[in-house]
Amino acid sequence: MWFGSIRTDILLGVIQEELDAFKAGDINAATFPRSLDSVTSEFPSLSNKERVELLRLVLTALTFHSEEKVELVVTAPNSFAIKSRTTLGAINEVLESAQKSIIMTGYSVSEYVSDFLDAVIAKSMKGIVVRLYINKVDNQDSLEKLLRYKSRFLQIYNYSNTEDKMSALHAKILSVDGRRTLISSANLSYHGMRGNIELGCLIESEKIGKQMDDLFQQLYKEKVFQRIFD
């Protein structure tokens, strides 16, 4: 029980049911009539305004609880017994789940992740918009196949700061459908996936997904990245 009270937990259950119905497209649940009746029954001394405010606070908490999730993602030697999601497994699973869009960055991309790159190409060929932000494309020999498949669905952006030769796109990001975002220290390479000790977070959040999209859109507008067309 959430609150140690059967009656209060029943109230919470009613609110959750109507919230689920509303998310599923049931417009009749938009005003949460059963929930308001249950709040009135449980807290008869509250004014109507106070009941609505209490319901709003509970709905906000339930929505945050169900939509915001963070998991630790780890690369470590095989001998390590760590109960967490692996970087290799997380990237595979997140890429496979993409239905609308993919944002991905690469500082160092090796032939070891050719399966990932093939998966990205396959997604773009299904009409999923892929935006790849790569550090100094000319130095990444493993990207030859990706460059051959670039299109309006597979967009490749180059970071190359001619004013500061030491600067780099060092972020390692994978964000899909504006909802699931992996932020990691791991490069797309053998050591990033298996050899090193790397840490990251897999975040399920539309807020973070939107911030990620907005960030890279702004960087492109400010010419930090140049899209490769030829």
Side-chain angles (χ1 to χ4, degrees):
M1 292 186 295
W2 282 48
F3 302 107
S5 163
I6 294 175
R7 291 174 59 192
T8 307
D9 283 343
I10 291 173
L11 166 61
L12 184 65
V14 171
I15 297 173
Q16 183 68 67
E17 286 178 7
E18 289 199 317
L19 176 61
D20 291 342
F22 176 63
K23 288 181 177 180
D26 182 358
I27 61 174
N28 293 323
T31 56
F32 298 90
R34 289 175 53 223
S35 298
L36 280 171
D37 287 346
S38 297
V39 170
T40 301
S41 176
E42 184 69 17
F43 305 103
S45 63
L46 296 180
S47 68
N48 187 60
K49 181 179 179 181
E50 289 171 330
R51 293 169 194 148
V52 171
E53 180 63 15
L54 174 60
L55 178 58
R56 186 189 68 79
L57 289 172
V58 174
L59 287 170
T60 299
L62 287 174
T63 301
F64 178 82
H65 176 74
S66 63
E67 293 183 357
E68 302 283 336
K69 181 180 177 182
V70 180
E71 290 182 76
L72 180 66
V73 176
V74 176
T75 297
N78 293 333
S79 59
F80 281 41
I82 299 175
K83 294 181 179 179
S84 62
R85 190 187 289 254
T86 66
T87 305
L88 184 66
I91 292 178
N92 276 323
E93 195 269 325
V94 171
L95 272 180
E96 179 62 28
S97 72
Q99 298 294 320
K100 298 177 182 178
S101 64
I102 297 171
I103 298 173
M104 197 169 189
T105 66
Y107 168 71
S108 176
V109 185
S110 77
E111 290 290 346
Y112 181 76
V113 296
S114 59
D115 287 349
F116 295 165
L117 305 184
D118 288 343
V120 165
I121 292 170
K123 289 289 185 179
S124 71
M125 295 180 73
K126 292 179 180 179
I128 296 172
V129 177
V130 179
R131 288 160 36 210
L132 299 177
Y133 296 86
I134 305 296
N135 185 66
K136 301 175 181 176
V137 170
D138 291 342
N139 296 339
Q140 309 276 359
D141 294 337
S142 61
L143 298 180
E144 182 179 348
K145 187 175 182 179
L146 276 178
L147 292 169
R148 291 201 307 269
Y149 280 89
K150 65 184 180 297
S151 65
R152 70 188 182 97
F153 292 111
L154 179 52
Q155 304 170 12
I156 301 177
Y157 298 82
N158 184 41
Y159 177 85
S160 181
N161 189 334
T162 57
E163 295 181 1
D164 184 353
K165 300 294 185 180
M166 297 299 293
S167 71
L169 164 65
H170 209 246
K172 292 88 176 183
I173 303 297
L174 171 60
S175 186
V176 305
D177 298 341
R179 185 176 61 87
R180 308 184 73 195
T181 302
L182 173 64
I183 302 175
S184 174
S185 63
N187 287 317
L188 294 171
S189 63
Y190 170 80
H191 286 97
M193 297 299 108
R194 294 191 182 278
N196 292 345
I197 295 176
E198 309 279 2
L199 296 177
C201 291
L202 177 57
I203 307 166
E204 298 199 20
S205 166
E206 291 184 0
K207 178 181 178 181
I208 297 299
K210 185 178 186 306
Q211 288 178 335
M212 194 66 62
D213 180 66
D214 290 346
L215 170 64
F216 282 95
Q217 293 277 17
Q218 186 64 31
L219 289 170
Y220 176 60
K221 288 179 182 178
E222 295 183 4
K223 303 186 185 305
V224 175
F225 292 96
Q226 293 79 41
R227 182 175 171 184
I228 298 175
F229 289 98
D230 300 328

